[in-house]
Amino acid sequence: MECKRKKEWPESNDSNRPTTFPDEVLERVLSLLKSHKDRSSVSLVCKDWYNAERWSRSHVFIGNCYSVSPEILTRRFPNIRSVTLKGKPRFSDFNLVPPNWGADIHSWLLVFAKKYPLLQELKLKRMTVTDESFEFLSLSFPNFKVLSLLSCDGFSTDGLAAIATNCKNLTELDIQENGIDDKNGNWLSCFPESFTSLEVLNFANLHSDVNFDALERLVSRCKSFKTLKVNKSITLEQLQRLLVHAPQLVELGTGIFSQELTAQQYSELETAFNNCKNIHTLSGLWTATAQFLPVLYRACANLTFLNLSYSTLDGDDLAKLLVHCPNLRRLWVLDTVEDKGLEAVGSYCPLLEELRVFPADPYDQDVVHGVTEAGFIAVSGGCPRLHYVLYFCHQMTNAAVATVVQNCPDFTHFRLCIMNPHQPDYLTDEPMDEAFGAVVKTCTKLQRLAVSGLLTDLTFEYIGKYAKNLETLSVAFAGNSDWGMQCVLEGCPKLRKLEIRDSPFGNAALLSGLEKYESMRSLWMSDCNVTMNGARLLAKEMPRLNVEVIKEEGINNSKADKIYVYRSVAGPRRDAPPFVFTL
Amino acid sequence: MSSPENQPQDAAVELNFNDTELTLGLPGAAKTGSKREFSHTLEASSTSAKSPAQKAQVVGWPPVRASRKSVMKKCKYVKVAVDGAPYLRKVDLEMYQSYDQLLSSLETMFTCLTIWNDLNQKNCERGKNNNGGEYVPTYEDKDGDWMMVGDVPWNMFVESCKRIRLMMSSEEATTGFGARRGSSE
């Protein structure tokens, strides 16, 4: 096992020295601390506590993979079993970061193989992972148990095959929404017949057909299955068979939710669902229709999270379903449910805490449906515990938002996306400043905010003045001048992540945050008014920041099209591609 | 105290739309806003000049993840014709994420057809017809023009494609496209 260094027990009492514990006691106590923030605080108390903390830490969270190097990490924390790593800036999800930007996991894996041979868990978000890396991972860590990938790219289903083939102790394989080259479903057949440890399997966002027999055998022999999220290729009939093998499931993602079924088959399906008494998360439900939703009704009694964001349900069908979901805490829907569906949410889900409404046709500019401010108000009226909202809509008013936050003053996450850039309050034609003003004034616990619509600098004055707990701010097509961004940088003491696109903030704004950026994780600005000179000046003044400009090759003007600024103890990137200029 | 009131609309037009306009360049060129798969697909020649997007579509807006876009859209079935084949097929473009996937699937579909057509033919190579020539994938867009597959970003192609035709290479030579099909092979 790890070697412990001996610490000498102090002979005399130094003055001002806090009571000392033996290392073993201190480490034992600290090993019970799970929160990273607590652990960070603990490590700052004194050198002894710093050391005890680093020896006792088993899980590390790295919010920006370039803020630290694997060498520095492994030097500080010798006993890590679980790593969470995030890579690219969030706007890469929306194609704003060119391909091959970086965040490749491989250099980390090489170091981990040497320093953390007992590594069990790897959770990656927005990292690039190749099939070779998967193969290497699967062969280097005999105790490997948990693999979770969200918004990653660079790999194909061949990589998954390596994991399935080689990771004998795997308990969790969670593949969410990645840019994966989905060649085929053969990977699922690679789990050996002797393999029985799987508890979590999520392949909902893969498209290829898998071998159903292999899946059925896998589910039936892995007795501890608690989360199963299949893809669209799995039919209702097949789902019924899976449920019979695993009635203990806690999280279920169905496949396609409509099929020609006989009365007998329908009844069997209903029975299978009725036998699942522990389901609290339900998702999938592709092409779910009113005809089949009733099979779920009994199983929904304990449901706390319902993800209908892949179902084009209308308001009536949603209402009929929600009647059976009184314990719902989190709901994700498409805007096909319209305001009528949201009224049902307000009526039937009094315990709701989180609502996400996604646009069914985000690029269709002729759309005349979707949700409006009326639906938003209806939900807030019936769900006073609502604290997380993501709302895509085509129209909104200042008054409506003010009403919403009056009904629900406890928002911690408020993400409103009015889909037409620069759209004003559609009734008064005014900017949406007062809407977000109301949000920040009323919701004192606000941690995350995304703004949209026609916004002047006033919005940012409000944010700087009132949003004292704000940690993450997303801005697009907003503001008038540098002043707006300055207000935020000067006024929000807890700001960690600031991402801005297509807004008229320039060098003065950028440079006003000189002191600020070291206390933040990162700043992203794209298609704003920042120039290369401004970026260079920032880099010069703040040597401990990495200031990177993404610029297409061959384009020789003075604009810094995309600038990414982040603190780092690892120095400038050594793997930057040609279009990333480190200043 | 408060900032001068510009017309935000104009400011946006000045600043942003040039930067965010979808342009056509050489596939494979480092292009902001292009999907990852696109840069690995066909290498067409430089005949594609900047062509106007049908609507002024801003890159990455609304901020919806790629996986969410394709799953939510309804099916988009288009007819696929292959020169020399007695009947057409239909494919759902929404089933694919990239040109590579679409073309592989078409090759599989029509290799089978070729085998069925000529039972004596043992060598049915991918992308080749009975005479050993290559197919060139083309499509008809919303304007009724016949375009070469692969020039525009994948999503844009899915949006504008009405039907697909795999042309035989001899015909391709006549129309002057030239032999420049680079593919996933």
Side-chain angles (χ1 to χ4, degrees), chain A residues 93-95 151 153 177 207 286 309-310 334 358-360 363 392 419 422 457 476 481 501-502 527 529 552 559 562, chain B residues 1 3 6 8 12 15-16 19-20 30 32-33 35-36 57-65 67-69 71-72 97:
Chain A
D93 285 350
F94 317 123
N95 289 339
S151 281
D153 69 351
E177 303 193 54
H207 296 278
W286 280 281
S309 61
Y310 295 103
L334 285 182
F358 294 96
Y363 304 108
F392 282 86
M419 285 189 272
H422 305 119
D457 285 345
S481 72
R501 62 167 293 180
D502 297 276
D527 297 294
N529 288 347
E552 288 178 42
K559 294 191 64 174
K562 298 178 185 191
Chain B
M1 194 179 82
S3 50
N6 307 332
L15 298 166
N16 304 315
D19 294 347
T20 55
T32 60
K35 287 188 77 92
R36 186 188 70 83
Q57 213 173 31
V58 177
V59 173
W61 190 264
V64 173
R65 281 211 190 111
S67 59
R68 215 164 259 298
K69 278 183 257 171
V71 173
M72 281 187 295
Q97 315 269 22

Short mmCIF file of all heavy atoms in Angstrom, two decimals, chain A residues 93-95 151 153 177 207 286 309-310 334 358-360 363 392 419 422 457 476 481 501-502 527 529 552 559 562, chain B residues 1 3 6 8 12 15-16 19-20 30 32-33 35-36 57-65 67-69 71-72 97:
data_model
loop_
_atom_site.label_atom_id
_atom_site.label_comp_id
_atom_site.label_asym_id
_atom_site.label_seq_id
_atom_site.Cartn_x
_atom_site.Cartn_y
_atom_site.Cartn_z
N ASP A 93 -19.73 22.84 -26.61
CA ASP A 93 -20.96 22.06 -26.85
C ASP A 93 -21.75 22.63 -28.03
O ASP A 93 -22.59 21.94 -28.60
CB ASP A 93 -21.88 22.09 -25.62
CG ASP A 93 -21.40 21.20 -24.50
OD1 ASP A 93 -20.46 20.41 -24.72
OD2 ASP A 93 -21.95 21.31 -23.38
N PHE A 94 -21.53 23.91 -28.31
CA PHE A 94 -22.31 24.57 -29.36
C PHE A 94 -21.43 24.91 -30.55
O PHE A 94 -21.65 25.88 -31.25
CB PHE A 94 -22.99 25.81 -28.79
CG PHE A 94 -23.59 25.58 -27.43
CD1 PHE A 94 -23.23 26.35 -26.34
CD2 PHE A 94 -24.49 24.53 -27.22
CE1 PHE A 94 -23.76 26.11 -25.07
CE2 PHE A 94 -25.02 24.29 -25.95
CZ PHE A 94 -24.64 25.08 -24.88
N ASN A 95 -20.40 24.11 -30.75
CA ASN A 95 -19.54 24.26 -31.92
C ASN A 95 -18.75 25.56 -31.96
O ASN A 95 -18.31 25.97 -33.03
CB ASN A 95 -20.37 24.17 -33.22
CG ASN A 95 -20.87 22.77 -33.46
OD1 ASN A 95 -20.33 21.81 -32.93
ND2 ASN A 95 -21.91 22.65 -34.26
N SER A 151 -20.37 14.66 -23.03
CA SER A 151 -19.89 15.65 -24.00
C SER A 151 -18.44 15.43 -24.41
O SER A 151 -17.74 16.39 -24.71
CB SER A 151 -20.00 17.07 -23.45
OG SER A 151 -21.30 17.52 -23.54
N ASP A 153 -15.44 13.57 -26.92
CA ASP A 153 -15.37 13.21 -28.34
C ASP A 153 -14.04 12.51 -28.62
O ASP A 153 -13.21 12.36 -27.73
CB ASP A 153 -15.54 14.44 -29.24
CG ASP A 153 -14.37 15.41 -29.16
OD1 ASP A 153 -13.49 15.22 -28.30
OD2 ASP A 153 -14.34 16.36 -29.95
N GLU A 177 -24.42 11.64 -24.29
CA GLU A 177 -24.32 12.78 -25.22
C GLU A 177 -22.90 13.13 -25.65
O GLU A 177 -22.39 14.21 -25.37
CB GLU A 177 -24.94 14.02 -24.57
CG GLU A 177 -26.37 13.78 -24.17
CD GLU A 177 -27.11 15.04 -23.81
OE1 GLU A 177 -27.11 15.95 -24.63
OE2 GLU A 177 -27.69 15.08 -22.72
N HIS A 207 -26.75 5.24 -31.29
CA HIS A 207 -27.82 4.97 -32.25
C HIS A 207 -27.87 3.53 -32.75
O HIS A 207 -28.92 3.03 -33.11
CB HIS A 207 -27.68 5.90 -33.46
CG HIS A 207 -27.85 7.33 -33.09
ND1 HIS A 207 -29.08 7.92 -32.95
CD2 HIS A 207 -26.95 8.30 -32.81
CE1 HIS A 207 -28.94 9.18 -32.60
NE2 HIS A 207 -27.66 9.44 -32.51
N TRP A 286 -38.76 7.63 -26.40
CA TRP A 286 -38.82 8.16 -27.76
C TRP A 286 -40.16 7.82 -28.40
O TRP A 286 -40.68 6.73 -28.25
CB TRP A 286 -37.70 7.52 -28.60
CG TRP A 286 -36.38 8.16 -28.37
CD1 TRP A 286 -35.93 9.33 -28.89
CD2 TRP A 286 -35.33 7.66 -27.54
NE1 TRP A 286 -34.67 9.58 -28.45
CE2 TRP A 286 -34.27 8.58 -27.62
CE3 TRP A 286 -35.17 6.52 -26.74
CZ2 TRP A 286 -33.06 8.42 -26.94
CZ3 TRP A 286 -33.98 6.35 -26.06
CH2 TRP A 286 -32.94 7.29 -26.16
N SER A 309 -37.50 14.79 -22.47
CA SER A 309 -36.96 15.73 -23.45
C SER A 309 -36.67 15.10 -24.81
O SER A 309 -36.17 15.75 -25.71
CB SER A 309 -35.70 16.40 -22.91
OG SER A 309 -34.70 15.45 -22.64
N TYR A 310 -36.99 13.82 -24.95
CA TYR A 310 -36.91 13.20 -26.27
C TYR A 310 -38.28 12.76 -26.76
O TYR A 310 -38.40 12.06 -27.75
CB TYR A 310 -35.94 12.01 -26.23
CG TYR A 310 -34.51 12.43 -25.95
CD1 TYR A 310 -33.95 12.25 -24.69
CD2 TYR A 310 -33.74 13.04 -26.94
CE1 TYR A 310 -32.66 12.66 -24.43
CE2 TYR A 310 -32.45 13.45 -26.69
CZ TYR A 310 -31.91 13.25 -25.43
OH TYR A 310 -30.64 13.66 -25.16
N LEU A 334 -40.00 18.78 -23.70
CA LEU A 334 -39.86 19.58 -24.92
C LEU A 334 -40.96 20.63 -24.95
O LEU A 334 -42.02 20.45 -24.34
CB LEU A 334 -40.01 18.68 -26.16
CG LEU A 334 -38.85 17.78 -26.51
CD1 LEU A 334 -39.17 17.00 -27.79
CD2 LEU A 334 -37.59 18.59 -26.71
N PHE A 358 -36.93 22.25 -23.26
CA PHE A 358 -36.04 22.31 -24.43
C PHE A 358 -36.86 22.59 -25.69
O PHE A 358 -38.01 22.17 -25.80
CB PHE A 358 -35.30 20.99 -24.61
CG PHE A 358 -34.34 20.68 -23.50
CD1 PHE A 358 -34.72 19.86 -22.45
CD2 PHE A 358 -33.05 21.21 -23.50
CE1 PHE A 358 -33.84 19.58 -21.41
CE2 PHE A 358 -32.17 20.92 -22.47
CZ PHE A 358 -32.56 20.10 -21.42
N PRO A 359 -36.24 23.24 -26.68
CA PRO A 359 -36.97 23.52 -27.92
C PRO A 359 -36.96 22.30 -28.83
O PRO A 359 -35.90 21.72 -29.10
CB PRO A 359 -36.16 24.67 -28.54
CG PRO A 359 -34.77 24.46 -28.05
CD PRO A 359 -34.86 23.78 -26.71
N ALA A 360 -38.13 21.93 -29.34
CA ALA A 360 -38.20 20.77 -30.24
C ALA A 360 -37.60 21.10 -31.59
O ALA A 360 -36.98 20.26 -32.24
CB ALA A 360 -39.65 20.33 -30.37
N TYR A 363 -34.18 25.49 -34.71
CA TYR A 363 -33.74 26.29 -35.85
C TYR A 363 -34.87 26.73 -36.74
O TYR A 363 -34.66 27.39 -37.74
CB TYR A 363 -32.68 25.54 -36.66
CG TYR A 363 -31.56 25.16 -35.75
CD1 TYR A 363 -31.38 23.84 -35.38
CD2 TYR A 363 -30.75 26.13 -35.18
CE1 TYR A 363 -30.38 23.50 -34.49
CE2 TYR A 363 -29.75 25.80 -34.30
CZ TYR A 363 -29.57 24.48 -33.95
OH TYR A 363 -28.61 24.14 -33.06
N PHE A 392 -36.37 27.55 -22.68
CA PHE A 392 -36.21 28.05 -24.05
C PHE A 392 -37.57 28.52 -24.55
O PHE A 392 -38.54 27.75 -24.52
CB PHE A 392 -35.71 26.93 -24.97
CG PHE A 392 -34.25 26.63 -24.85
CD1 PHE A 392 -33.79 25.75 -23.89
CD2 PHE A 392 -33.33 27.20 -25.72
CE1 PHE A 392 -32.44 25.44 -23.78
CE2 PHE A 392 -31.97 26.90 -25.62
CZ PHE A 392 -31.53 26.03 -24.66
N MET A 419 -35.07 32.76 -27.72
CA MET A 419 -34.27 32.20 -28.81
C MET A 419 -33.89 33.17 -29.91
O MET A 419 -32.91 32.94 -30.61
CB MET A 419 -34.96 30.96 -29.38
CG MET A 419 -34.80 29.78 -28.41
SD MET A 419 -35.34 28.23 -29.11
CE MET A 419 -37.06 28.26 -28.67
N HIS A 422 -31.45 39.46 -29.23
CA HIS A 422 -31.84 40.86 -29.14
C HIS A 422 -33.34 41.07 -29.11
O HIS A 422 -33.81 42.14 -29.47
CB HIS A 422 -31.27 41.70 -30.31
CG HIS A 422 -29.81 41.60 -30.44
ND1 HIS A 422 -29.20 41.10 -31.57
CD2 HIS A 422 -28.80 41.89 -29.60
CE1 HIS A 422 -27.89 41.11 -31.41
NE2 HIS A 422 -27.62 41.58 -30.21
N ASP A 457 -26.64 47.70 -20.75
CA ASP A 457 -25.69 47.61 -19.64
C ASP A 457 -26.41 47.59 -18.30
O ASP A 457 -25.86 47.13 -17.30
CB ASP A 457 -24.73 48.80 -19.67
CG ASP A 457 -23.68 48.66 -20.76
OD1 ASP A 457 -23.51 47.54 -21.29
OD2 ASP A 457 -23.02 49.66 -21.09
N ALA A 476 -24.98 36.28 -23.95
CA ALA A 476 -24.94 36.21 -25.42
C ALA A 476 -25.73 37.36 -25.99
O ALA A 476 -26.86 37.60 -25.59
CB ALA A 476 -25.53 34.88 -25.89
N SER A 481 -21.76 48.31 -23.75
CA SER A 481 -20.40 48.85 -23.70
C SER A 481 -19.60 48.12 -22.64
O SER A 481 -20.13 47.30 -21.88
CB SER A 481 -20.45 50.33 -23.33
OG SER A 481 -20.79 50.47 -21.96
N ARG A 501 -20.50 35.66 -25.41
CA ARG A 501 -20.37 35.63 -26.87
C ARG A 501 -21.15 36.77 -27.50
O ARG A 501 -22.19 37.18 -26.99
CB ARG A 501 -20.84 34.28 -27.43
CG ARG A 501 -22.28 33.96 -27.17
CD ARG A 501 -22.75 32.79 -28.01
NE ARG A 501 -22.77 33.11 -29.42
CZ ARG A 501 -23.14 32.27 -30.38
NH1 ARG A 501 -23.49 31.04 -30.08
NH2 ARG A 501 -23.15 32.65 -31.64
N ASP A 502 -20.59 37.24 -28.62
CA ASP A 502 -21.30 38.22 -29.44
C ASP A 502 -21.84 39.40 -28.65
O ASP A 502 -23.00 39.78 -28.80
CB ASP A 502 -22.47 37.52 -30.16
CG ASP A 502 -21.96 36.46 -31.12
OD1 ASP A 502 -21.61 36.84 -32.25
OD2 ASP A 502 -21.85 35.27 -30.72
N ASP A 527 -16.26 36.55 -30.24
CA ASP A 527 -16.95 37.53 -31.09
C ASP A 527 -17.38 38.76 -30.30
O ASP A 527 -18.50 39.26 -30.45
CB ASP A 527 -18.15 36.88 -31.80
CG ASP A 527 -17.69 35.79 -32.73
OD1 ASP A 527 -17.02 36.13 -33.72
OD2 ASP A 527 -17.97 34.60 -32.45
N ASN A 529 -15.34 42.50 -28.62
CA ASN A 529 -14.47 43.54 -29.21
C ASN A 529 -13.05 43.48 -28.70
O ASN A 529 -12.33 44.47 -28.77
CB ASN A 529 -15.05 44.92 -28.90
CG ASN A 529 -16.29 45.20 -29.69
OD1 ASN A 529 -16.59 44.48 -30.64
ND2 ASN A 529 -17.02 46.22 -29.32
N GLU A 552 -8.27 31.55 -36.47
CA GLU A 552 -8.08 30.73 -37.66
C GLU A 552 -6.78 31.11 -38.32
O GLU A 552 -6.44 32.28 -38.42
CB GLU A 552 -9.24 30.95 -38.63
CG GLU A 552 -10.52 30.33 -38.13
CD GLU A 552 -11.66 30.60 -39.09
OE1 GLU A 552 -11.44 30.51 -40.31
OE2 GLU A 552 -12.75 30.93 -38.62
N LYS A 559 -8.02 41.31 -34.37
CA LYS A 559 -9.09 40.91 -33.45
C LYS A 559 -8.74 39.61 -32.75
O LYS A 559 -8.14 38.72 -33.34
CB LYS A 559 -10.41 40.72 -34.22
CG LYS A 559 -10.96 41.97 -34.81
CD LYS A 559 -12.38 41.74 -35.30
CE LYS A 559 -13.27 41.41 -34.12
NZ LYS A 559 -14.68 41.31 -34.51
N LYS A 562 -11.66 34.71 -30.33
CA LYS A 562 -12.07 33.92 -29.19
C LYS A 562 -10.94 33.93 -28.19
O LYS A 562 -9.82 33.55 -28.51
CB LYS A 562 -12.35 32.47 -29.61
CG LYS A 562 -13.48 32.41 -30.62
CD LYS A 562 -13.76 31.02 -31.11
CE LYS A 562 -14.83 31.17 -32.19
NZ LYS A 562 -15.45 29.99 -32.64
N MET B 1 -23.67 58.03 -16.06
CA MET B 1 -23.62 56.78 -15.33
C MET B 1 -24.03 55.61 -16.23
O MET B 1 -23.35 54.63 -16.35
CB MET B 1 -24.55 56.83 -14.11
CG MET B 1 -24.27 55.70 -13.15
SD MET B 1 -25.35 55.78 -11.71
CE MET B 1 -26.83 55.02 -12.32
N SER B 3 -24.70 53.86 -19.78
CA SER B 3 -23.91 53.93 -21.02
C SER B 3 -24.70 54.58 -22.12
O SER B 3 -25.93 54.63 -22.06
CB SER B 3 -23.53 52.52 -21.41
OG SER B 3 -24.70 51.74 -21.38
N ASN B 6 -26.71 52.86 -27.73
CA ASN B 6 -26.58 52.52 -29.15
C ASN B 6 -27.78 51.73 -29.55
O ASN B 6 -28.54 51.26 -28.72
CB ASN B 6 -25.34 51.64 -29.38
CG ASN B 6 -24.11 52.27 -28.82
OD1 ASN B 6 -24.02 53.48 -28.73
ND2 ASN B 6 -23.18 51.45 -28.42
N PRO B 8 -28.58 48.41 -30.23
CA PRO B 8 -27.89 47.11 -30.10
C PRO B 8 -27.97 46.28 -31.37
O PRO B 8 -27.06 45.57 -31.71
CB PRO B 8 -28.66 46.43 -28.97
CG PRO B 8 -29.41 47.53 -28.29
CD PRO B 8 -29.66 48.60 -29.30
N ALA B 12 -24.77 44.75 -33.23
CA ALA B 12 -24.64 43.32 -33.47
C ALA B 12 -24.32 43.06 -34.93
O ALA B 12 -23.48 42.25 -35.26
CB ALA B 12 -25.93 42.61 -33.08
N LEU B 15 -20.71 43.99 -35.64
CA LEU B 15 -19.69 43.20 -34.96
C LEU B 15 -19.76 41.73 -35.32
O LEU B 15 -18.75 41.10 -35.52
CB LEU B 15 -19.87 43.27 -33.45
CG LEU B 15 -19.74 44.64 -32.82
CD1 LEU B 15 -20.28 44.55 -31.42
CD2 LEU B 15 -18.29 45.06 -32.81
N ASN B 16 -20.94 41.25 -35.33
CA ASN B 16 -21.06 39.81 -35.09
C ASN B 16 -21.45 38.98 -36.28
O ASN B 16 -21.02 37.87 -36.38
CB ASN B 16 -22.08 39.56 -33.97
CG ASN B 16 -21.67 40.33 -32.73
OD1 ASN B 16 -20.51 40.31 -32.39
ND2 ASN B 16 -22.61 41.01 -32.13
N ASP B 19 -18.78 37.58 -38.39
CA ASP B 19 -18.02 36.53 -37.72
C ASP B 19 -18.79 35.25 -37.57
O ASP B 19 -18.19 34.19 -37.52
CB ASP B 19 -17.60 36.99 -36.32
CG ASP B 19 -16.62 38.15 -36.39
OD1 ASP B 19 -16.11 38.40 -37.48
OD2 ASP B 19 -16.41 38.77 -35.36
N THR B 20 -20.09 35.38 -37.46
CA THR B 20 -20.85 34.18 -37.14
C THR B 20 -21.55 33.60 -38.36
O THR B 20 -22.21 32.60 -38.28
CB THR B 20 -21.92 34.48 -36.08
OG1 THR B 20 -22.74 35.54 -36.55
CG2 THR B 20 -21.26 34.89 -34.78
N ALA B 30 -9.42 24.40 -40.93
CA ALA B 30 -9.81 24.70 -39.55
C ALA B 30 -10.86 25.78 -39.58
O ALA B 30 -10.59 26.93 -39.91
CB ALA B 30 -8.59 25.18 -38.77
N THR B 32 -14.13 27.56 -37.66
CA THR B 32 -14.93 27.66 -36.45
C THR B 32 -16.35 27.28 -36.76
O THR B 32 -16.88 27.61 -37.79
CB THR B 32 -14.92 29.10 -35.90
OG1 THR B 32 -15.47 29.96 -36.89
CG2 THR B 32 -13.51 29.53 -35.58
N GLY B 33 -16.93 26.60 -35.86
CA GLY B 33 -18.34 26.27 -36.01
C GLY B 33 -18.59 25.01 -36.83
O GLY B 33 -19.70 24.58 -36.98
N LYS B 35 -18.70 21.11 -37.54
CA LYS B 35 -18.79 19.92 -36.69
C LYS B 35 -17.52 19.10 -36.87
O LYS B 35 -16.90 19.11 -37.90
CB LYS B 35 -20.01 19.10 -37.06
CG LYS B 35 -21.31 19.74 -36.58
CD LYS B 35 -22.47 18.79 -36.79
CE LYS B 35 -22.51 17.72 -35.75
NZ LYS B 35 -23.33 18.07 -34.61
N ARG B 36 -17.18 18.35 -35.86
CA ARG B 36 -15.94 17.60 -35.86
C ARG B 36 -15.88 16.63 -37.01
O ARG B 36 -14.90 16.50 -37.69
CB ARG B 36 -15.82 16.87 -34.53
CG ARG B 36 -14.50 16.18 -34.36
CD ARG B 36 -14.52 15.31 -33.12
NE ARG B 36 -15.37 14.15 -33.29
CZ ARG B 36 -14.98 13.04 -33.90
NH1 ARG B 36 -13.77 12.93 -34.38
NH2 ARG B 36 -15.81 12.04 -34.04
N GLN B 57 -28.21 31.98 -40.14
CA GLN B 57 -28.16 31.11 -38.99
C GLN B 57 -26.90 31.37 -38.21
O GLN B 57 -25.80 31.31 -38.75
CB GLN B 57 -28.19 29.65 -39.47
CG GLN B 57 -28.89 28.74 -38.52
CD GLN B 57 -29.04 27.36 -39.12
OE1 GLN B 57 -28.20 26.92 -39.89
NE2 GLN B 57 -30.09 26.66 -38.76
N VAL B 58 -27.05 31.67 -36.94
CA VAL B 58 -25.90 31.98 -36.12
C VAL B 58 -25.32 30.67 -35.59
O VAL B 58 -26.05 29.80 -35.15
CB VAL B 58 -26.34 32.88 -34.96
CG1 VAL B 58 -25.18 33.17 -34.06
CG2 VAL B 58 -26.96 34.16 -35.49
N VAL B 59 -24.00 30.58 -35.62
CA VAL B 59 -23.35 29.36 -35.15
C VAL B 59 -23.63 29.15 -33.67
O VAL B 59 -23.50 30.05 -32.87
CB VAL B 59 -21.83 29.45 -35.39
CG1 VAL B 59 -21.13 28.27 -34.75
CG2 VAL B 59 -21.52 29.49 -36.86
N GLY B 60 -24.01 27.92 -33.34
CA GLY B 60 -24.16 27.57 -31.94
C GLY B 60 -25.28 28.28 -31.23
O GLY B 60 -25.25 28.43 -30.01
N TRP B 61 -26.28 28.72 -31.96
CA TRP B 61 -27.41 29.40 -31.32
C TRP B 61 -28.71 28.91 -31.92
O TRP B 61 -28.80 28.83 -33.12
CB TRP B 61 -27.28 30.91 -31.50
CG TRP B 61 -28.27 31.64 -30.66
CD1 TRP B 61 -29.50 32.10 -31.05
CD2 TRP B 61 -28.18 31.92 -29.24
NE1 TRP B 61 -30.17 32.68 -29.99
CE2 TRP B 61 -29.37 32.57 -28.86
CE3 TRP B 61 -27.21 31.68 -28.28
CZ2 TRP B 61 -29.61 33.00 -27.55
CZ3 TRP B 61 -27.44 32.11 -26.98
CH2 TRP B 61 -28.64 32.76 -26.64
N PRO B 62 -29.71 28.60 -31.15
CA PRO B 62 -29.75 28.60 -29.69
C PRO B 62 -28.79 27.54 -29.12
O PRO B 62 -28.47 26.57 -29.81
CB PRO B 62 -31.18 28.23 -29.35
CG PRO B 62 -31.95 28.30 -30.61
CD PRO B 62 -31.00 28.23 -31.74
N PRO B 63 -28.39 27.73 -27.90
CA PRO B 63 -27.39 26.83 -27.31
C PRO B 63 -27.99 25.48 -26.93
O PRO B 63 -28.34 25.22 -25.79
CB PRO B 63 -26.91 27.60 -26.08
CG PRO B 63 -28.06 28.48 -25.70
CD PRO B 63 -28.76 28.82 -26.98
N VAL B 64 -28.09 24.64 -27.93
CA VAL B 64 -28.64 23.31 -27.73
C VAL B 64 -27.60 22.31 -28.17
O VAL B 64 -27.02 22.47 -29.25
CB VAL B 64 -29.93 23.14 -28.57
CG1 VAL B 64 -30.44 21.72 -28.51
CG2 VAL B 64 -31.00 24.09 -28.11
N ARG B 65 -27.33 21.28 -27.38
CA ARG B 65 -26.31 20.30 -27.72
C ARG B 65 -26.68 19.53 -28.98
O ARG B 65 -27.85 19.27 -29.24
CB ARG B 65 -26.13 19.30 -26.58
CG ARG B 65 -25.30 19.82 -25.45
CD ARG B 65 -24.56 18.65 -24.81
NE ARG B 65 -23.94 19.08 -23.56
CZ ARG B 65 -24.33 18.67 -22.37
NH1 ARG B 65 -25.35 17.84 -22.27
NH2 ARG B 65 -23.71 19.09 -21.30
N SER B 67 -26.53 16.42 -29.78
CA SER B 67 -27.31 15.19 -29.61
C SER B 67 -28.77 15.51 -29.43
O SER B 67 -29.64 14.75 -29.84
CB SER B 67 -26.80 14.42 -28.40
OG SER B 67 -26.90 15.24 -27.25
N ARG B 68 -29.05 16.64 -28.85
CA ARG B 68 -30.43 17.02 -28.63
C ARG B 68 -31.09 17.47 -29.92
O ARG B 68 -32.25 17.23 -30.17
CB ARG B 68 -30.47 18.16 -27.61
CG ARG B 68 -31.63 18.12 -26.71
CD ARG B 68 -31.39 19.01 -25.51
NE ARG B 68 -31.00 18.25 -24.34
CZ ARG B 68 -31.78 17.34 -23.78
NH1 ARG B 68 -32.95 17.07 -24.27
NH2 ARG B 68 -31.37 16.69 -22.71
N LYS B 69 -30.34 18.12 -30.75
CA LYS B 69 -30.87 18.59 -32.03
C LYS B 69 -31.34 17.42 -32.87
O LYS B 69 -32.43 17.42 -33.40
CB LYS B 69 -29.77 19.31 -32.83
CG LYS B 69 -29.56 20.74 -32.44
CD LYS B 69 -28.52 21.36 -33.34
CE LYS B 69 -27.18 21.49 -32.66
NZ LYS B 69 -26.11 21.88 -33.58
N VAL B 71 -31.92 14.28 -32.16
CA VAL B 71 -32.92 13.37 -31.63
C VAL B 71 -34.31 13.98 -31.68
O VAL B 71 -35.29 13.31 -31.89
CB VAL B 71 -32.57 12.97 -30.17
CG1 VAL B 71 -33.69 12.16 -29.57
CG2 VAL B 71 -31.28 12.19 -30.15
N MET B 72 -34.37 15.27 -31.52
CA MET B 72 -35.67 15.90 -31.45
C MET B 72 -36.32 16.04 -32.81
O MET B 72 -37.52 15.99 -32.95
CB MET B 72 -35.57 17.28 -30.81
CG MET B 72 -35.48 17.19 -29.31
SD MET B 72 -35.55 18.79 -28.55
CE MET B 72 -34.04 19.50 -29.15
N GLN B 97 -25.01 11.02 -38.27
CA GLN B 97 -24.41 12.21 -37.65
C GLN B 97 -23.39 12.87 -38.55
O GLN B 97 -22.88 13.93 -38.23
CB GLN B 97 -23.68 11.81 -36.36
CG GLN B 97 -24.44 10.87 -35.46
CD GLN B 97 -25.26 11.65 -34.47
OE1 GLN B 97 -25.59 12.80 -34.69
NE2 GLN B 97 -25.60 11.01 -33.38
#
